[in-house]
Amino acid sequence: MPKILIYANANNYHSIKRSLAGQEAGFEVIWVSAEQVNLPDVKSYFLPPKYSRSLISRAIFEPFLIFNTIRRVKPDIIHVHFASKGLAAVPVSRYHPLIVSCQGGDIFPDQAYRGFYAPFVRYLLDNADCITSMTDYMDLTLK
């Protein structure tokens, strides 16, 4: 059975809903996130709670979590939900095929696309094999 690794916030309803579509398509869904996700028939890799509660700890340890999970799981596809992944964009960008689903906050300068996150978002998007977005306006921004 082919494996799809989902890298998304474990508490985001939309990411969960969209990710489970992979099961319907015949993929084994594996989840990686700072926090544990509890979904039927989904293996989850996550940081220990003492690290997932702190944004600084997440920024430091999440890239290692991603790198180690990808090496352990050897997924056929990686799907990243939300492009604002900070330093974790570096290790995840090395593996392909890579799908990135953007939201407005990821790419609009009046939202999160500025400061520290901007170069990492750009790096992740530049290395993606496929980028999805929610609207035509977002598609224009991505060009």
Side-chain angles (χ1 to χ4, degrees):
M1 175 181 296
K3 296 180 273 190
I4 184 167
L5 179 67
I6 304 297
Y7 178 24
N9 183 333
N11 299 313
N12 185 284
Y13 170 80
H14 299 293
S15 295
I16 290 170
K17 183 91 169 134
R18 292 178 189 125
S19 299
L20 293 178
Q23 286 178 327
E24 296 170 15
F27 282 86
E28 175 185 357
V29 175
I30 300 130
W31 197 286
V32 62
S33 177
E35 297 177 17
Q36 184 176 10
V37 67
N38 295 308
L39 297 169
D41 301 318
V42 173
K43 180 146 179 72
S44 176
Y45 292 88
F46 52 93
L47 293 173
K50 68 180 180 179
Y51 298 120
S52 66
R53 292 186 194 117
S54 162
L55 290 178
I56 294 170
S57 293
R58 282 177 148 182
I60 294 168
F61 293 111
E62 203 164 350
F64 295 103
L65 170 69
I66 299 306
F67 178 75
N68 289 328
T69 301
I70 292 170
R71 288 188 51 182
R72 182 178 300 133
V73 170
K74 295 179 178 50
D76 296 291
I77 297 174
I78 299 173
H79 191 168
V80 178
H81 291 263
F82 296 89
S84 296
K85 297 298 185 191
L87 290 169
V90 175
V92 79
S93 294
R94 296 179 54 210
Y95 298 92
H96 300 276
L98 176 63
I99 301 167
V100 179
S101 292
C102 288
Q103 301 299 315
D106 294 327
I107 59 173
F108 295 138
D110 63 332
Q111 295 180 35
Y113 185 74
R114 62 186 185 289
F116 173 80
Y117 280 100
F120 294 108
V121 169
R122 181 81 266 148
Y123 183 77
L124 180 61
L125 295 175
D126 285 346
N127 286 282
D129 297 297
C130 177
I131 301 169
T132 67
S133 72
M134 304 280 291
T135 67
D136 291 337
Y137 181 69
M138 288 175 60
D139 289 347
L140 291 172
T141 302
L142 286 163
K143 291 185 180 184

